[in-house]
Amino acid sequence: MSEELLINVAPMETRVALVENGVLQEVYLERTARRGLVGNIYKGKVVRVLPGMQAAFVDIGLERAGFIHASDIAPLDDEGMEARDAEVADIGASVREGQSLVVQVVKDPIGSKGARLTTHLSVSTRFLVYMPQTRHIGISNRIEEESERERLRGLVEQASAKLSEQGQHGDGGFILRTVAEGVSEEELLRDIPFLYKLWSELEQSIGAGSVPSVIYEDLPLFMRALRDLARPHMEKIRIDSREALGRAVEFADRYAPEIAARLEHYPGERPLFDLYGVEEEVQKALHNKVALKSGGYLLVEQTEAMSTIDVNTGAFVGHRNLEETIFKTNLEAATSIARQLRLRNLGGIIIIDFIDMKDAEHQRQVLRTLEKALEKDHAKTSITGVSELGLVEMTRKRTRESLGQFLCETCPVCAGRGSLKSAETVCYEIFREILREARAYDSEKIMVLASQVVIDLLLDEESANVADLEEFIERPIQFQVEPIYNQEQYDIVLV
């Protein structure tokens, strides 16, 4: 499998694309005025405690207060370490209004919701996540081989012990990230002292910081991409900015020498994302219909609470029988769905309506295909299986806005419904409004202001109804086109 990382850096925006075998799989966007907040640490103030929701709102200096649940507030023991096995305390016993609280963002503000917060603090390098308030050592679930998991756990314990002997000691635990698979003791020894030193500096900032204030900001997007997405097996990491390339080389030399040889500058006149067709794929991802090569298609609908994906055979008629046609369409859809989830960054609850299959073996193979395709996903996913209604229910961890939420806003015409009232419906609304106005007020005539398409319908197909209405209210009705009105807008003016 050929994998490339494309990084487009401009003064106002940074974009990162992950391409596999020439096909866009994931895209990340960050604008100067709208940077992601996940990973940032703040010193905030509790502004409201909600006992009924077991939660609190914390002012961290943003437009909207952040939200923290009682389960995200770590109870500390006498040594200032998290009591991992303790029961979740009542929110009223954990925080009080006006109290200062050091929190970390685990989910960006999405829609009308503020940032999701936690007091389980951590800072990251390429291979490790350091948790200063726990002594637990965890390993990414994606590292499946038990011998490798034990080797990594032993390396961290040995490295920590060595540093302690040298006087470079820091309390806390670690999580070994997926990219740590196969890492040497030397590389871990390079990361651990850095994390100890970083946390020591952050502790000083926490003590001296005002409320609210930023204590720690995560790396800019293109640096996070090198830390979290770059792999030694990648064919290329192409960056179209010389300045960003220089910073990337410094980062790689210090933290990820295994990817340094993959870094290269893209000097071409044609934009980097255009060269790989990324722009076109992003535009397609903003539509709810996804064509499949067989002729079938997916319909993707996103709401605030969940996303639904409907699979249809479309123009695909198959070659053998109906069950085989359905099976092949569902197999192709399963692979496409996994890509769409990554590309659109859909999160939360996801309901997939595959075409009904009678064969239990076919169901099992489609589900296995979906699970295998999702193994490449950087976000945590969980599939519950096929429900009694034949639906596949799953969840995908959501930490930032979806592609559609980031690039789009609610349509001012339909107010997010996704459809407009027909011109005929608007005409009959106008008729009813005229009747109300005519009964309530005296006037010589009535003027209707509306869009071109509505006025045309009133003067053509609905002209007989207009004439009957004029006779009924005993006054003339005039019409005027307002070019700035959308199809649903109109005004009734008494003259």
Side-chain angles (χ1 to χ4, degrees), residues 352-357 363 385-393:
I352 304 170
D353 185 9
F354 285 108
I355 306 167
D356 289 341
M357 295 172 284
Q363 290 182 10
V386 182
S387 73
E388 292 181 4
L389 296 176
L391 305 174
V392 173
E393 301 169 0

Side-chain angles (χ1 to χ4, degrees), residues 26-87:
E26 296 180 23
V27 64
Y28 300 83
L29 310 170
E30 184 173 85
R31 294 171 181 164
T32 306
R34 195 175 166 189
R35 279 195 63 180
L37 305 176
V38 173
N40 289 4
I41 297 175
Y42 295 85
K43 189 174 183 179
K45 182 174 75 171
V46 179
V47 292
R48 192 178 178 195
V49 177
L50 305 171
M53 294 178 63
Q54 285 297 293
F57 286 103
V58 183
D59 177 15
I60 56 175
L62 303 179
E63 183 180 345
R64 293 188 296 273
F67 176 87
I68 188 166
H69 190 265
S71 60
D72 291 315
I73 300 176
L76 303 179
D77 60 23
D78 296 337
E79 297 179 2
M81 306 300 283
E82 293 179 10
R84 296 181 63 84
D85 298 327
E87 291 186 6

Side-chain angles (χ1 to χ4, degrees), residues 133-178:
Q133 297 174 161
T134 176
R135 296 185 179 91
H136 172 72
I137 295 178
I139 299 174
S140 167
N141 290 330
R142 291 178 184 271
I143 302 176
E144 297 179 351
E145 192 175 329
E146 192 57 37
S147 60
E148 176 64 5
R149 294 173 68 86
E150 289 301 318
R151 185 188 75 88
L152 290 172
R153 182 177 284 105
L155 281 179
V156 171
E157 291 171 349
Q158 292 169 25
S160 299
K162 273 187 182 180
L163 290 168
S164 183
E165 290 172 7
Q166 298 168 8
Q168 301 181 54
H169 181 65
D171 284 329
F174 296 92
I175 293 176
L176 287 121
R177 309 179 73 172
T178 306

Side-chain angles (χ1 to χ4, degrees), residues 464-477:
N465 287 328
V466 171
D468 290 342
L469 186 59
E470 284 181 320
E471 184 178 347
F472 183 77
I473 64 174
E474 298 179 338
R475 66 196 85 171
I477 302 173

Side-chain angles (χ1 to χ4, degrees), residues 456-481:
D456 287 348
L457 193 61
L458 287 166
L459 294 176
D460 186 9
E461 295 176 28
E462 300 296 334
S463 58
N465 287 328
V466 171
D468 290 342
L469 186 59
E470 284 181 320
E471 184 178 347
F472 183 77
I473 64 174
E474 298 179 338
R475 66 196 85 171
I477 302 173
Q478 297 181 348
F479 303 97
Q480 180 176 313
V481 173

Side-chain angles (χ1 to χ4, degrees), residues 319-490:
H319 303 288
R320 296 175 62 184
N321 55 55
L322 178 60
E323 183 67 20
E324 193 67 21
T325 300
I326 290 171
F327 176 52
K328 287 186 176 179
T329 304
N330 283 339
L331 278 179
E332 184 186 2
T335 303
S336 181
I337 286 168
R339 175 175 175 261
Q340 290 298 322
L341 294 180
R342 295 170 67 188
L343 178 56
R344 298 169 186 248
N345 191 32
L346 299 178
I349 300 169
I350 298 162
I351 306 295
I352 304 170
D353 185 9
F354 285 108
I355 306 167
D356 289 341
M357 295 172 284
K358 296 177 181 177
D359 191 324
E361 178 60 20
H362 285 177
Q363 290 182 10
R364 191 193 66 78
Q365 287 188 45
V366 168
L367 203 59
R368 176 60 190 142
T369 300
L370 178 63
E371 289 170 346
K372 189 168 180 60
L374 287 170
E375 287 175 359
K376 301 175 185 176
D377 199 335
H378 293 93
K380 183 179 179 181
T381 59
S382 175
I383 301 177
T384 61
V386 182
S387 73
E388 292 181 4
L389 296 176
L391 305 174
V392 173
E393 301 169 0
M394 64 171 288
T395 60
R396 184 173 185 271
K397 187 175 181 182
R398 174 167 51 193
T399 58
R400 56 190 174 93
E401 292 177 302
S402 69
L403 187 66
Q405 288 170 326
F406 188 91
L407 294 177
C408 305
E409 61 183 21
T410 301
C411 171
V413 178
C414 71
R417 295 197 312 270
S419 59
L420 285 175
K421 294 177 185 175
S422 67
E424 183 184 33
T425 297
V426 176
C427 287
Y428 280 80
E429 285 186 2
I430 289 172
F431 292 155
R432 291 194 295 273
E433 184 65 22
I434 289 174
L435 283 171
R436 280 193 290 269
E437 296 287 339
R439 287 176 179 143
Y441 306 101
D442 288 330
S443 63
E444 292 184 8
K445 58 184 177 180
I446 290 176
M447 174 77 73
V448 176
L449 311 178
S451 63
Q452 182 74 60
V453 65
V454 172
I455 296 296
D456 287 348
L457 193 61
L458 287 166
L459 294 176
D460 186 9
E461 295 176 28
E462 300 296 334
S463 58
N465 287 328
V466 171
D468 290 342
L469 186 59
E470 284 181 320
E471 184 178 347
F472 183 77
I473 64 174
E474 298 179 338
R475 66 196 85 171
I477 302 173
Q478 297 181 348
F479 303 97
Q480 180 176 313
V481 173
E482 286 293 336
I484 63 171
Y485 280 19
N486 65 54
Q487 186 165 301
E488 292 190 356
Q489 285 181 293
Y490 64 85

